Amino acid sequence: DPHGVEGKPGDIDGLNVFKADTTLLADKTLNRSEGDWLGLNQNVSGYEIHMGETTINQSFEPAIRFKNSDKTDGIYLEEGKIWGTYFHGLFNDPAFFDAFFKQIDPDFKSQLGEGTIHQFRSHQYDLLAKHFSNYMDVDLLMKIIDEGLKTV
């Protein structure tokens, strides 16, 4: 982070899952994109969002090839057991969602049922909100948000 975008300028070690170096830049990249997930030969759409440039320092296969381009994104290792990408929104497509998880577990049964990924996600948020409200004093939290900590 030479520009101090996320704190003091400097370097930090990552998780070392990939042999890669990422330099955080001052400007964010945001593009709507389409491509093919190469490990599954599956169409994907979503958006690229990142604030850096990554150099991968190991042999790898790209995860995605962009439509109508030689441009690729991501890293795909060990037959898909390890992967990473700057491509967001992949799991919004039920076909990709199912194909991706069936690759991990051939017995995978989609929990989407007749719904969409958006309905599934909305239901998960509802469950989280219910859990949150069961174990949190929501009225007190709202009072703190509205009036500040001095009221507690």
Side-chain angles (χ1 to χ4, degrees):
D1 185 1
H3 306 287
V5 175
E6 296 289 331
K8 289 184 179 180
D11 295 340
I12 61 168
D13 290 332
L15 299 174
N16 293 319
V17 174
F18 306 116
K19 294 177 183 160
D21 295 308
T22 299
T23 300
L24 205 59
L25 302 175
D27 295 321
K28 183 183 291 189
T29 298
L30 176 59
N31 295 314
R32 185 95 175 109
S33 302
E34 293 184 10
D36 294 308
W37 186 268
L38 299 174
L40 295 171
N41 196 26
Q42 181 82 32
N43 291 327
V44 293
S45 63
Y47 57 98
E48 297 171 80
I49 183 169
H50 53 94
M51 289 186 66
E53 293 178 350
T54 299
T55 302
I56 300 169
N57 305 311
Q58 69 186 90
S59 178
F60 72 97
E61 295 294 324
I64 297 169
R65 180 169 315 284
F66 289 86
K67 293 279 187 203
N68 306 318
S69 171
D70 289 335
K71 183 180 170 189
T72 61
D73 182 77
I75 183 171
Y76 193 82
L77 300 172
E78 297 184 30
E79 298 175 4
K81 293 178 185 171
I82 301 173
W83 62 272
T85 179
Y86 284 120
F87 210 87
H88 295 255
L90 293 169
F91 296 120
N92 290 344
D93 178 349
F96 179 77
F97 180 91
D98 287 347
F100 183 87
F101 287 102
K102 282 182 181 172
Q103 178 189 24
I104 295 169
D105 178 3
D107 296 326
F108 172 77
K109 301 286 188 262
S110 178
Q111 296 184 28
L112 298 179
E114 296 297 316
T116 67
I117 189 70
H118 303 290
Q119 290 166 327
F120 175 77
R121 185 180 298 132
S122 180
H123 178 68
Q124 298 305 307
Y125 285 137
D126 290 344
L127 291 173
L128 181 60
K130 183 177 180 179
H131 182 80
F132 187 84
S133 65
N134 284 341
Y135 295 97
M136 175 67 85
D137 185 339
V138 176
D139 292 332
L140 177 59
L141 178 62
M142 293 310 295
K143 187 174 182 178
I144 292 169
I145 290 170
D146 290 340
E147 301 173 23
L149 282 173
K150 64 183 180 274
T151 63
V152 179

